[in-house]
């Protein structure tokens, strides 16, 4: 007996202020359809998160902030020598050049404007190649789900962000007379703040872009809907672009000044999507 398909919901049918958005790899679509969502420590959270959870963002504001942070996070692992995206570079020398660039200019002690300039001023040829690889290898292979879960039941909106908590605990454990160690730990905290953005709260609690269920809580399949655009697209990139375009009619222009890389990425993604569409049309014409 075939499992019932995951119900779909259009962007126009959700509450853009309060909807809970969770993105998930398409390859696990059948698993979600059968079992719902299971808590786990994802590949990006290994060694950082202590317990298994399901992460999500609240509202349109949370979604946009999430992608600004997520793109910066992936940029870090692309350019700091971690070699997460080896296809970015033609040789080891280029890897070392960009690692040196990242280390030298990363704005650990920068203000909001300096942080934004750092991400936007990454050499164009590497930045755009990174965007292209990120879209093809990660973003287009994800789907967005809307979760029907309750504050106080499946999650607690005042829960702790384990990354923030660990950074604070490590700082608090240092002897207050040990200035070199205090300075070193403060650098780690500032390093994380660059990625978290000026829009994240300066405390130990989770932000609306980085919310999670209580530890070990699963989400039943009946509490999940597959998000789609008005034209029926379910891939995260198309949905993100549509949400971003909607946000331009909702938020004041000054709202978008807080983002470090999101708008640059969206501009590039729109061009790439249009190019892909044109390529498909050309193929049809020349068949």
């Amino acid at each position: 007996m075939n499992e019932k398909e995951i119900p779909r919901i259009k962007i126009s049918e959700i509450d853009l202020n309060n909807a809970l958005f969770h993105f998930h790899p398409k390859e696990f679509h059948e698993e979600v359809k059968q079992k719902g969502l299971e808590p786990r420590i994802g590949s990006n959270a290994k060694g950082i998160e202590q317990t298994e959870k399901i992460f999500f963002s609240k509202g349109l504001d949370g979604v946009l902030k999430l992608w600004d942070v997520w793109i910066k996070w992936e940029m870090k692992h692309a350019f700091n020598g971690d070699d997460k995206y080896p296809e970015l570079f033609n040789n080891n020398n280029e890897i070392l050049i960009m690692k040196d660039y990242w280390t030298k200019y990363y704005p650990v002690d920068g203000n909001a404007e300096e942080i934004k300039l750092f991400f936007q001023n990454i050499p164009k040829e590497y930045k755009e190649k990174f965007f292209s690889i990120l879209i093809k290898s990660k973003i287009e292979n994800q789907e967005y789900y809307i979760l029907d879960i309750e504050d106080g039941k499946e999650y607690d909106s005042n829960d702790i962000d384990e990354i923030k908590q660990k950074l604070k605990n490590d700082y608090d454990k240092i002897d207050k007379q040990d200035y070199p160690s205090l300075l070193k730990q403060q650098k780690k905290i500032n390093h994380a703040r660059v990625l978290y953005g000026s829009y994240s709260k300066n405390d130990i609690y989770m932000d609306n872009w980085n919310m999670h269920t209580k530890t070990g809580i699963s989400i039943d399949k009946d509490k999940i809907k597959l998000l789609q655009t008005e034209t029926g697209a379910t891939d995260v990139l198309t949905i993100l672009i549509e949400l971003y375009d909607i946000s331009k009619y909702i938020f004041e222009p000054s709202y978008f000044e807080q983002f470090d890389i999101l708008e640059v990425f969206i501009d590039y993604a729109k061009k790439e999507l249009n190019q892909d569409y044109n390529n498909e049309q050309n193929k049809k014409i020349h068949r």
Side-chain angles (χ1 to χ4, degrees):
M1 182 176 177
N2 293 330
E3 290 286 338
K4 183 174 66 175
E5 283 298 325
I6 301 172
R8 294 190 174 204
I9 187 168
K10 293 180 180 179
I11 292 173
S12 60
E13 298 171 332
I14 64 175
D15 177 355
L16 284 172
N17 290 320
N18 298 299
L20 305 180
F21 298 77
H22 169 82
F23 70 90
H24 208 76
K26 288 182 181 179
E27 63 181 299
F28 298 117
H29 181 94
E30 288 300 313
E31 178 182 308
V32 175
K33 185 172 75 172
Q34 295 173 22
K35 303 178 182 178
L37 292 168
E38 298 291 330
R40 52 175 58 102
I41 297 177
S43 57
N44 282 337
K46 288 179 180 176
I48 301 174
E49 292 292 335
Q50 303 299 311
T51 58
E52 297 178 335
K53 314 177 192 72
I54 298 165
F55 282 83
F56 57 91
S57 303
K58 183 175 182 179
L60 178 58
D61 177 63
V63 168
L64 298 181
K65 289 173 179 175
L66 166 74
W67 287 102
D68 193 56
V69 175
W70 194 84
I71 293 165
K72 289 186 291 181
W73 175 270
E74 293 299 317
M75 275 184 149
K76 168 189 171 183
H77 293 291
F79 297 121
N80 74 346
D82 285 351
D83 204 26
K84 187 173 182 179
Y85 295 89
E87 63 269 46
L88 260 174
F89 308 103
N90 295 315
N91 51 59
N92 287 334
N93 188 51
E94 289 188 7
I95 295 174
L96 293 174
I97 289 172
M98 283 308 297
K99 179 181 179 181
D100 181 65
Y101 177 92
W102 186 273
T103 303
K104 184 176 181 180
Y105 295 109
Y106 190 84
V108 174
D109 298 314
N111 59 32
E113 189 59 32
E114 290 170 326
I115 292 169
K116 179 184 291 189
L117 285 173
F118 169 77
F119 286 102
Q120 296 188 3
N121 289 340
I122 287 174
K124 184 177 179 181
E125 65 272 23
Y126 288 119
K127 183 169 57 186
E128 293 195 344
K129 190 175 180 182
F130 165 75
F131 286 161
S132 180
I133 293 169
L134 189 69
I135 288 169
K136 292 291 190 293
S137 66
K138 296 287 182 70
I139 300 179
E140 285 185 341
N141 297 323
Q142 306 279 339
E143 295 176 320
Y144 247 129
Y145 298 127
I146 299 298
L147 310 179
D148 181 19
I149 56 178
E150 297 179 38
D151 192 359
K153 187 175 179 181
E154 288 96 347
Y155 72 97
D156 179 354
S157 57
N158 295 313
D159 210 342
I160 299 296
D161 180 316
E162 289 186 359
I163 296 176
K164 291 181 182 181
Q165 179 75 77
K166 184 178 187 309
L167 288 167
K168 181 180 185 301
N169 288 349
D170 289 346
Y171 185 89
D172 289 344
K173 286 187 293 188
I174 299 171
D175 184 333
K176 296 305 176 277
Q177 302 302 314
D178 184 357
Y179 298 113
S181 295
L182 288 171
L183 181 60
K184 183 178 180 181
Q185 184 60 24
Q186 186 60 54
K187 288 280 187 182
K188 288 184 179 180
I189 293 171
N190 291 349
H191 192 286
R193 283 177 179 162
V194 171
L195 298 179
Y196 266 52
S198 60
Y199 37 76
S200 293
K201 296 180 293 187
N202 189 22
D203 56 25
I204 61 171
Y205 300 101
M206 63 186 185
D207 298 280
N208 66 346
W209 60 266
N210 194 35
M211 300 182 74
H212 55 73
T213 58
K214 295 177 181 179
T215 296
I217 293 291
S218 300
I219 299 177
D220 189 81
K221 60 185 179 181
D222 294 331
K223 295 187 174 185
I224 299 167
K225 289 183 179 178
L226 181 64
L227 186 60
Q228 67 175 42
T229 65
E230 296 307 304
T231 58
T234 61
D235 68 281
V236 162
L237 184 65
T238 307
I239 288 172
L240 173 59
I241 289 173
E242 187 158 315
L243 288 172
Y244 177 82
D245 287 344
I246 290 170
S247 74
K248 287 290 186 176
Y249 294 95
I250 296 176
F251 301 122
E252 295 293 327
S254 58
Y255 168 85
F256 299 91
E257 295 173 4
Q258 65 189 318
F259 298 118
D260 296 320
I261 197 63
L262 178 67
E263 293 193 284
V264 176
F265 172 78
I266 292 289
D267 286 345
Y268 177 84
K270 285 183 175 182
K271 292 175 186 175
E272 180 144 317
L273 274 182
N274 188 55
Q275 183 63 45
D276 287 347
Y277 173 79
N278 289 336
N279 288 340
E280 285 302 313
Q281 293 302 107
N282 288 334
K283 286 179 186 176
K284 290 176 182 178
I285 291 171
H286 292 97
R287 276 173 187 164

